[in-house]
Amino acid sequence: DNGGTANGGVDLDPTAKTITFNVTPFNRAPVITSNGGGANAWVSVTENSTSVTQVTAADIDLPAQRLAYSIVGGADAARFVIDADTGLLSFASAPRWHLPADANGDNQYQVVVGADDGSLLTTQALAVTVTNLPDAPVVTAPLSATLLENTGVPIAGIGVSDIDGNLSTVSLRVQHGSLALDLAGGATVVAGEQGSSRITLSGNASQLQAALASLNYRAVRDFFGSDTLQVLAKKSRTAR
């Protein structure tokens, strides 16, 4: 009786019994691994470039499923684009540190990216900080000036500027004449001298601009022909 009381509880049927288990697959969400992983991450990039980061994720299900990457939110989501296949995240247009375009104007752009396996979505909130890349000073000058032999002429229209606000010196040089400026605005001579062919001025932007506004050129005696004025602006190493 297969273990009944009639045989003292002994199973007289030697046939093995089989139990079948049905294990159904359980889909697990992708795991974002880039930028340290986790729900929040931080990235720092320099201005004037569109490249940001590459979002990567792992699918622990077997067989692994194809993942799609997307931008799913963030205050500055419209400023970014992402490659759905590779996860490459970029600015839609290169940011400028001096002209922040993020929602609150602090050069920290907020975007939420996601990795999707077709059923489940995992997100990561990224704070992308844009840092300053120092710009070269800008020099503007007239194309030419004309004067008679053995005379002098004011050189109007020379301008120097630095978007970073770190302008420190301006060097002037000619080959066949001399230069003179009015230093009442506060600029000082740190190389060369007044009335010579070379002179370097030091000061802040407004002081240097005031001096340049008074620049006067005089050719050497009996010289006629073409001469060239070279203007070189430099900025300090200390960023503001």
Side-chain angles (χ1 to χ4, degrees), residues 13 19 26 29-30 83 87-88 92 115-116 118 150 164 168 172 176 190 198 203 208 217 221 225 229 232 235 239:
D13 184 354
I19 300 175
F26 176 76
D83 188 302
L88 285 174
D116 190 339
N150 297 327
D164 297 312
S168 61
L172 306 167
H176 306 291
V190 293
R198 300 184 183 186
L208 292 171
Y217 167 82
R221 185 173 181 80
L229 170 64
L232 176 63
K235 60 201 306 177

Side-chain angles (χ1 to χ4, degrees), residues 138-151:
V138 176
V139 175
T140 57
L143 294 178
S144 64
T146 302
L147 68 157
L148 296 174
E149 181 182 355
N150 297 327
T151 64

Side-chain angles (χ1 to χ4, degrees), residues 10-96:
V10 178
D11 189 354
L12 300 179
D13 184 354
T15 305
K17 303 299 185 292
T18 301
I19 300 175
T20 301
F21 296 92
N22 292 318
V23 180
T24 58
F26 176 76
N27 185 33
R28 284 159 292 191
V31 177
I32 293 181
T33 57
S34 51
N35 302 301
N40 299 279
W42 293 262
V43 178
S44 181
V45 299
T46 55
E47 65 171 327
N48 302 329
S49 174
T50 58
S51 179
V52 178
T53 189
Q54 182 172 17
V55 181
T56 59
D59 181 16
I60 60 178
D61 296 316
L62 294 175
Q65 302 170 75
R66 177 184 176 275
L67 300 179
Y69 299 96
S70 60
I71 294 172
V72 298
D76 303 299
R79 302 291 178 182
F80 295 88
V81 293
I82 194 169
D83 188 302
D85 295 318
T86 66
L88 285 174
L89 180 69
S90 307
F91 279 105
S93 60
R96 293 294 306 275

